[in-house]
Amino acid sequence: MKYYIIENEAPVGPFDVNELVARGLRPTDLVWAEGMADWATAESVEEVRMALYGPKNNNIDAPVTSTPVQGGVCPPPPAPHAPAYQQPQPQYQQPQYQQPILPPDNYLAWAIIVTILCCVPFGIVAIVKAASVNGLWNSGNYEQAYRASASAKKWVIITAIVGVATSLLYGGFMIFSGVMNSL
């Protein structure tokens, strides 16, 4: 017996059972043949079910042709309640943030160096910011890890600038004091 199937929301066929199996027919796909009252799922038609679940078909190399139905004999339209004929609804999912290849630099070594050499109060802020980068990265908060890295870098620079400025002011004050004492 020859069966029609639905492709791109239109009936195509007819195909014999071996051609349907070769085309990748699923048990829930709708089929129809002359003499049937309406469309039915492939697994509910005995001949098709046997081809789908029975021993492997020897005629798997049968030519597969797709012939749209044209004038003359046309199968009835699929039933409105038929799930296989309905347009699939798109599945919307929350976009997943892909993990970048490399974690951001945490600037911890620089924060420690500028804290020891330059300015302790601002250096402590730089160390705290730098220490949070790896924890955020490992917990999957990649965007926050990049923000913490940028913040740590900013505080390292601020600490270095304040330390150099303080040293220059102190040096200038010492020179000024030495000159004033010698007069």
Side-chain angles (χ1 to χ4, degrees), residues 92-147:
Y92 295 104
Q93 296 177 346
Q94 182 73 14
Q96 298 294 320
Y97 187 80
Q98 296 295 323
Q99 177 179 359
I101 296 171
L102 297 174
D105 189 6
N106 61 13
Y107 298 100
L108 185 59
W110 287 107
I112 293 170
I113 291 169
V114 296
T115 301
I116 293 170
L117 298 177
C118 298
C119 180
V120 174
F122 292 130
I124 291 173
V125 175
I127 289 173
V128 169
K129 295 290 186 180
S132 69
V133 173
N134 289 344
L136 289 168
W137 180 265
N138 292 335
S139 67
N141 295 327
Y142 307 121
E143 186 175 334
Q144 291 177 353
Y146 279 107
R147 287 183 189 158

Side-chain angles (χ1 to χ4, degrees), residues 3-7 15-32 39-45 47-49 51-53 84:
Y3 295 91
Y4 292 87
I5 60 172
I6 302 294
E7 272 187 8
F15 303 105
D16 65 26
V17 175
N18 293 331
E19 289 175 324
L20 292 175
V21 172
R23 292 178 68 84
L25 184 72
R26 296 177 307 233
T28 56
D29 289 344
L30 295 177
V31 296
W32 180 85
W39 290 89
T41 59
E43 66 185 354
S44 67
V45 177
E47 181 183 18
V48 179
R49 182 176 64 240
L52 286 173
Y53 298 124

Side-chain angles (χ1 to χ4, degrees), residues 3 11 29 33-34 46 60 62 66 72 82-84 86 91 97 126 132 160 165 169:
Y3 295 91
D29 289 344
E34 289 188 38
E46 180 68 24
I60 208 72
S66 176
Q86 292 176 350
Q91 297 292 329
Y97 187 80
S132 69
L169 286 173

